[in-house]
Amino acid sequence: MKRVMASNASRQQSSTTECTGKNRSSSCYDRKSTPNYYFTSIKALCRPGRWSGIMGTLGDRLFSVNPRLPHVPDATSKIFSTWFLTPERHLVEFFCFSLWFFYFLAHQPSFVGWNSTINPSSSSEKTEQRFPKAANEADYVFFSICAFTALGILYFKVTRRRHFYLLQPCNTWIFILTYLTVARTQTATRLFNFYLHTMWGSWIGMLVCDLRDYHSRVEIGFFFCNHIVLVTMPIVYLARQTFPLYAPDAYSCYVVFAIQHWWIFLPVSIISGWHIQMMTHPPRQLSFAGSNYRIVMMVVSYVITALVRSWVGRNEQYLAEVHASVVESLY
C-alpha cells in the first residue's frame, strides 16, 4: 500500500490536504475536473439529519482506510484504485449486495447437489459417465503447458511487485486449470463445471485487453498465452469428455462469482490501492454508465453467464464427435 501511495503522491498532493479524514467534504467529489457521480437517490435518502449523520460517519471511516487514493482514474494506467465513487456509494451497494448473498447462502445453493446431477442432455449421461476419466499422456502434456504459463504469470506478478493481481480471476484460474489437468476428484469435477459458466471472462479479457501497464514483449506474450490456455482448455476437455457435465446452474455460479467481487476484490482494492477486477472505477468500455457501471456490469455478467453455459450444453455432443473423428483419422 505504501508503494501505491508513493507512486501516486505527486498526482494527489493538492487533493490529499483537503480530502483527508474529517476534512473530507462534497468538494472532494465536485471538482471542476471531476463530474459529480454521487447517486442522487442515495443522496436524497441520506440528507435527513439522522441518516445523513450515520452515512457521513461511516463514509468518513471508509475514506480514512486509504485517503490518498486519487479521485480521478489515471489516464496512463489502470492498476491504481480510486475514489471515483463516494465512500457512501460503496457502503450502500456493498450492504445491498451482501443481503442478497446472505440470503443465497442461507438457502443452500443448488450446485451443492451437483455430485448427483448429470446434465440429462449431455453425452455423459448417454454413456453413463459418472466419474472423470483417468489422466493419460495427453493430460500430462496439458499439465506442462498450464504449469509453464502459471509460473510465467507468477514470475511477472512477483518481480513487478503486483502480488495482489494474482487474485484476478484469469490469473487464479490458470493455477486451477493446472490442477484440473491431472486431478480427477469430485472437487476437480465441480471446479470444471463451475468454470464452464464463467470462462467467458477470459474471452473478454483477451478481446478487450488493456496493455498500458505491461512493459515487455515477454510479459505481453505470457498475457496472451495465459488467456489462450484459459479459452482452449475447457473446450478440449469438453471434447475429450474428461469430466462429467453437470446440469447447468447459471444463477448459483453467477452469485458465487459476484461474491468474490464484492467480498474479496472490492475490500482488497480499497485497502491495498491496487485496482482489482474493475471494482473502484469503470473500464473504458463501461464509462458510459458513470457511477452505475457496477450495476450494469452485474446485469450483463449474468446474461453472458447464462448464454455461455447454454452454448456449452448445446455443443458438447458436437465437440465430442469432432474429437472422435480427429482421433480416428490420426490412428
Side-chain angles (χ1 to χ4, degrees), residues 163-183:
H163 311 74
F164 284 107
Y165 274 92
L166 291 171
L167 293 174
Q168 290 270 114
C170 290
N171 296 330
T172 302
W173 273 105
I174 189 61
F175 292 94
I176 297 177
L177 282 185
T178 303
Y179 163 75
L180 294 182
T181 56
V182 292

Side-chain angles (χ1 to χ4, degrees), residues 292-310:
N292 299 314
Y293 83 94
R294 290 192 301 206
I295 307 300
V296 174
M297 187 168 66
M298 295 288 286
V299 173
V300 172
S301 296
Y302 176 71
V303 173
I304 299 177
T305 298
L307 290 175
V308 169
R309 185 56 185 83
S310 176

Side-chain angles (χ1 to χ4, degrees), residues 18-26 28-29 52-67 83 86-89 91 270:
E18 63 174 317
C19 295
T20 56
K22 294 189 176 181
N23 293 324
R24 183 172 66 88
S25 65
S26 60
C28 295
Y29 306 98
S52 178
I54 293 174
M55 291 302 298
T57 301
L58 293 176
D60 283 341
R61 292 290 181 89
L62 179 59
F63 184 83
S64 66
V65 170
N66 202 341
W83 288 118
T86 66
E88 290 82 3
R89 178 65 182 264
L91 289 171
I270 293 176

Side-chain angles (χ1 to χ4, degrees), residues 8 40 57 61 78 84 115 163 165 183 209 211 214 218 224-225 245 256 269 271 275 288-289 324 328:
N8 286 291
T40 55
T57 301
R61 292 290 181 89
K78 62 179 176 60
F84 174 85
N115 61 316
H163 311 74
Y165 274 92
C209 58
L211 302 175
Y214 290 81
V218 177
F224 283 105
C225 180
L245 188 63
V256 172
S269 295
I271 295 171
H275 186 217
F288 70 91
E328 184 179 355

Side-chain angles (χ1 to χ4, degrees), residues 156-229:
F156 282 107
K157 298 308 177 189
V158 171
T159 57
R160 299 200 61 198
R161 300 177 182 272
R162 296 179 180 177
H163 311 74
F164 284 107
Y165 274 92
L166 291 171
L167 293 174
Q168 290 270 114
C170 290
N171 296 330
T172 302
W173 273 105
I174 189 61
F175 292 94
I176 297 177
L177 282 185
T178 303
Y179 163 75
L180 294 182
T181 56
V182 292
R184 296 297 182 265
T185 62
Q186 185 181 85
T187 298
T189 304
R190 290 187 177 187
L191 285 170
F192 176 76
N193 278 271
F194 179 85
Y195 186 60
L196 292 179
H197 291 78
T198 61
M199 63 180 179
W200 56 267
S202 301
W203 306 352
I204 293 179
M206 184 166 56
L207 292 174
V208 296
C209 58
D210 186 342
L211 302 175
R212 285 178 291 173
D213 297 285
Y214 290 81
H215 294 167
S216 72
R217 292 182 178 179
V218 177
E219 187 179 8
I220 293 174
F222 269 100
F223 170 86
F224 283 105
C225 180
N226 181 31
H227 284 77
I228 290 172
V229 170

Side-chain angles (χ1 to χ4, degrees), residues 6 10 25 33 41 49-50 55 58 63 66 82 87 108 112 114 119-120 143 154 182-183 222 252 259 279 301 307 326:
S10 61
S25 65
S33 60
S41 62
R50 185 168 65 113
M55 291 302 298
L58 293 176
F63 184 83
N66 202 341
T82 67
Q108 293 295 331
V112 169
W114 259 358
N119 183 3
F143 171 81
L154 180 64
V182 292
F222 269 100
S252 294
I259 287 174
M279 289 304 290
S301 296
L307 290 175
V326 171

